[in-house]
Amino acid sequence: SRSMEPGEPQEPQEPREPGPGAETAAAQVWEEAKIFYDNLAPKKKPKSPKPQNAVTIAVSSRALFRMDEEQRIYTEQGVEEYVRYQLEHENEPFSPGPAFPFVKALEAVNRRLRELYPDSEDVFDIVLMTNNHAQVGVRLINSINHYDLFIERFCMTGGNSPICYLKAYHTNLYLSADAEKVREAIDEGIAAATIFSPSRDVVVSQSQLRVAFDGDAVLFSDESERIVKAHGLDRFFEHEKAHENKPLAQGPLKGFLEALGRLQKKFYSKGLRLECPIRTYLVTARSAASSGARALKTLRSWGLETDEALFLAGAPKGPLLEKIRPHIFFDDQMFHVAGAQEMGTVAAHVPYGVAQTPRRTAPAKQAPSAQ
């Protein structure tokens, strides 16, 4: 081959073909590097809102997680053994409890709200409110991180009543498995309910929060139930007809429905009424013709509405709730709570009004539970 003269142009070289699989290998290296750096970078979590600006939902540890075995140890062997057991098992996450799907649905709504209103603090703020001892906190934190829940606020009261903390957090709703603490909260004017696990698991929506309410002694006062109890159904129908245009007084969960309605309007104002991720239901034993108008007119007088109103005229609520599949259903009568449970609905008992009188006069006070 001859030597090249200075300045003589070089002949173009044929590009070398990469070996088989080189492209795939490069893509794999890139993907592995990306995963490595994604894991290094802390996931940016949204900032916790100020309690007075948010809709605060307080849940107890036994509402959020299943703690049956731990509760048994506490009851049978005492607090020291209970704490020891929790420390031994602190790297094992708890199984989801009855309030878990509800909390996941609240977080789904928050994601949508933050997309539409990035700077607003008008979102759900979930607080874990437990009278557990602080030593149990690590297992609770591990469980929350395991399920990727956004719960930043914890109150571990070490056996003390949570009431003063519920007030400090401007709590809009308190869910607990401890009926005594729920009654205490209701007596202090805090919306609260005792939550029960359903008899069987039913799949609920991942993208739309569904909340069902009974009317009397839940959204409304127990005025009408008192008349039924004292004078029977015929007098009740007469009374409702005569007072159709007089709004009922508010019940313990009226404020929570109001908070849900306020958040719904944030979607409506963006033209998203049909895609709203919150849906509310009135599920009442009232009959539409004889006593339904007063219930609807009461809501209207408050500037509130539910997306659906179901007047069952005394029929069981369980089968209808099975079709709605709410994340939670509130009722003041254990009979309806049990009926909902049987059909796979997470039901919560609101201990308010005349239906509760026999329970309130019970002579012995239960010992406080571990959660």
Side-chain angles (χ1 to χ4, degrees):
S1 65
R2 69 181 182 85
S3 59
M4 289 184 69
E5 294 292 322
E8 189 177 331
Q10 292 184 11
E11 285 183 28
Q13 298 283 317
E14 281 290 314
R16 288 178 64 189
E17 287 291 322
E23 212 170 288
T24 313
Q28 197 174 337
V29 168
W30 169 250
E31 190 56 37
E32 284 169 5
K34 185 176 179 300
I35 291 165
F36 176 74
Y37 285 109
D38 281 352
N39 288 339
L40 277 185
K43 289 194 177 91
K44 196 182 175 200
K45 285 199 169 182
K47 215 171 68 173
S48 292
K50 294 185 184 73
Q52 63 270 30
N53 298 338
V55 178
T56 301
I57 311 294
V59 289
S60 78
S61 50
R62 272 201 297 151
L64 187 58
F65 298 118
R66 284 193 188 277
M67 302 176 75
D68 305 339
E69 178 61 15
E70 291 78 7
Q71 180 67 6
R72 186 190 63 75
I73 290 166
Y74 176 83
T75 308
E76 293 176 7
Q77 299 174 44
V79 70
E80 296 306 323
E81 193 58 32
Y82 167 81
V83 169
R84 192 186 66 75
Y85 179 89
Q86 294 282 35
L87 291 175
E88 275 180 12
H89 293 80
E90 68 180 21
N91 293 318
E92 296 169 24
F94 292 113
S95 299
F100 189 92
F102 175 65
V103 166
K104 290 292 274 186
L106 297 177
E107 294 194 341
V109 173
N110 277 357
R111 282 193 292 276
R112 294 277 307 275
L113 282 168
R114 288 190 171 106
E115 285 165 14
L116 294 172
Y117 302 91
D119 301 320
S120 173
E121 292 197 329
D122 199 4
V123 293
F124 293 111
D125 187 24
I126 300 143
V127 179
L128 189 73
M129 188 70 62
T130 169
N131 70 334
N132 257 306
H133 293 265
Q135 300 98 304
V136 181
V138 173
R139 190 175 183 196
L140 289 167
I141 290 166
N142 287 343
S143 299
I144 281 165
N145 289 336
H146 172 78
Y147 295 110
D148 200 24
L149 297 173
F150 183 62
I151 301 178
E152 296 288 308
R153 301 192 208 276
F154 274 43
C155 276
M156 287 177 250
T157 68
N160 288 339
S161 166
I163 299 300
C164 60
Y165 301 106
L166 292 170
K167 287 183 170 177
Y169 276 116
H170 304 266
T171 300
N172 296 81
L173 177 68
Y174 171 49
L175 296 175
S176 175
D178 187 324
E180 191 59 43
K181 287 190 175 55
V182 166
R183 276 196 287 273
E184 206 182 326
I186 287 276
D187 288 346
E188 290 293 327
I190 297 162
T194 311
I195 194 165
F196 293 90
S197 294
S199 303
R200 55 191 169 87
D201 290 335
V202 168
V203 177
V204 289
S205 172
Q206 302 290 305
S207 56
Q208 185 181 58
L209 169 67
R210 296 177 189 170
V211 184
F213 299 89
D214 177 31
D216 295 295
V218 174
L219 292 177
F220 315 129
S221 73
D222 67 339
E223 171 198 320
S224 301
E225 285 195 349
R226 285 180 182 279
I227 287 163
V228 173
K229 209 170 174 73
H231 306 290
L233 271 176
D234 289 342
R235 179 70 70 84
F236 162 72
F237 292 138
E238 287 167 21
H239 177 269
E240 292 303 288
K241 202 81 188 144
H243 294 82
E244 185 181 304
N245 295 310
K246 183 189 174 203
L248 288 150
Q250 70 177 55
L253 263 70
K254 180 246 187 177
F256 180 52
L257 176 63
E258 204 163 24
L260 292 176
R262 190 177 77 236
L263 294 182
Q264 282 180 309
K265 283 179 179 144
K266 299 186 80 163
F267 292 97
Y268 301 169
S269 67
K270 299 277 189 182
L272 297 170
R273 182 180 277 267
L274 296 179
E275 296 89 51
C276 182
I278 303 171
R279 193 162 184 83
T280 55
Y281 304 79
L282 173 66
V283 182
T284 171
R286 284 173 175 252
S287 67
S290 54
S291 55
R294 190 178 186 197
L296 295 178
K297 286 182 177 182
T298 296
L299 289 174
R300 191 192 299 161
S301 76
W302 295 340
L304 297 180
E305 58 180 325
T306 56
D307 294 295
E308 298 187 29
L310 306 162
F311 295 94
L312 303 190
K317 297 182 180 183
L320 218 75
L321 289 163
E322 188 187 18
K323 299 290 177 251
I324 295 169
R325 300 197 172 188
H327 293 89
I328 193 163
F329 163 61
F330 296 99
D331 204 293
D332 67 306
Q333 298 195 39
M334 278 305 296
F335 168 75
H336 291 305
V337 169
Q341 264 185 293
E342 276 170 35
M343 305 296 284
T345 296
V346 172
H349 179 240
V350 180
Y352 174 82
V354 69
Q356 319 306 317
T357 306
R359 290 173 67 92
R360 287 192 171 285
T361 54
K365 195 174 179 183
Q366 284 185 331
S369 77
Q371 288 74 244

